[in-house]
Amino acid sequence: MSPDPGLAPHREAPEQAADIRQLMGGFPTGVSIITATGVDGVNWGMTCSSLCSVSLDPPILLICLRAGSPTLGAVLASGRFAVNLLHDQGQQAAELFASGAPDRFDRVAWQAGPGAAGPHLLYASHTIADCSLFSSHMVGDHVVVMGAVDNVIPRRPVRPLMYGLRRYLSWPEQSKSRNSPDQDGRLTPYGS
């Protein structure tokens, strides 16, 4: 059987692993803070840009958390976590939760009422999803966590916070370009 011409040939692993930070730095993404409450009642949270939708039915999200992080420990122990999607004024919270500061929950407004899978960040987030642990898999130095989405709470219609090229950005203002969504939310293909 001949190899598929559309696929790159398999190469042996290099002696030294490739540094993919430059590759991923050029791939702007949304910013979230993953929060969880440990079985001891302690709140944990970390900034995360490794987030994607896996399935609509059932609704499943995927996050990647650093192996050994206390936030990951709380997620795995409690079986629940909250995804706080940050709006464009949430950079301070993103930096705080990326810093590992032990007093991070003392420095932001949050609540964790009945049904909350983790602390909800009241002023930094535009949408929050409460998730139940679906599965987890160790991959390299991170753990891929899939969560079944139990609840989605839209907080405010604002522009999301983005991260790319080693800096935070705001989603651009909507313009009437040829690539803007139409009234039904569909994109008009470039050049059509």
Side-chain angles (χ1 to χ4, degrees):
M1 178 186 287
S2 63
D4 183 337
L7 297 177
H10 173 72
R11 294 190 178 130
E12 295 298 318
E15 290 185 25
Q16 184 177 8
D19 184 351
I20 65 169
R21 288 177 288 192
Q22 182 177 7
L23 171 72
M24 296 313 296
F27 185 68
T29 184
V31 182
S32 67
I33 295 177
I34 307 303
T35 58
T37 302
V39 292
D40 57 1
V42 176
N43 291 323
W44 294 97
M46 64 187 292
T47 302
C48 177
S49 60
S50 299
L51 164 73
C52 71
S53 171
V54 173
S55 169
L56 295 176
D57 188 17
I60 305 286
L61 292 179
L62 176 150
I63 59 173
C64 296
L65 303 177
R66 182 181 47 79
S69 80
T71 302
L72 173 63
V75 168
L76 297 176
S78 69
R80 304 192 73 211
F81 62 94
V83 176
N84 295 269
L85 299 181
L86 302 188
H87 57 69
D88 63 353
Q89 299 300 305
Q91 179 176 340
Q92 187 174 10
E95 291 171 343
L96 174 64
F97 279 79
S99 75
D103 64 342
R104 65 195 95 165
F105 284 100
D106 296 333
R107 296 165 57 186
V108 295
W110 63 273
Q111 70 180 20
H120 293 181
L121 304 182
L122 299 176
Y123 300 120
S125 59
H126 66 79
T127 307
I128 301 167
D130 289 310
C131 301
S132 298
L133 183 63
F134 183 78
S135 68
S136 63
H137 309 280
M138 184 79 166
V139 178
D141 58 1
H142 278 63
V143 175
V144 176
V145 176
M146 293 195 201
V149 179
D150 301 319
N151 192 23
V152 175
I153 304 145
R155 297 203 32 86
R156 56 184 58 88
V158 294
R159 296 181 300 175
L161 183 65
M162 306 290 291
Y163 187 78
L165 302 174
R166 296 183 174 258
R167 63 184 176 153
Y168 291 97
L169 306 162
S170 178
W171 189 266
E173 291 287 335
Q174 181 148 349
S175 65
K176 294 290 185 183
S177 72
R178 293 188 310 186
N179 290 326
S180 296
D182 64 14
Q183 292 175 345
D184 296 325
R186 294 178 300 222
L187 283 176
T188 304
Y190 183 77
S192 63

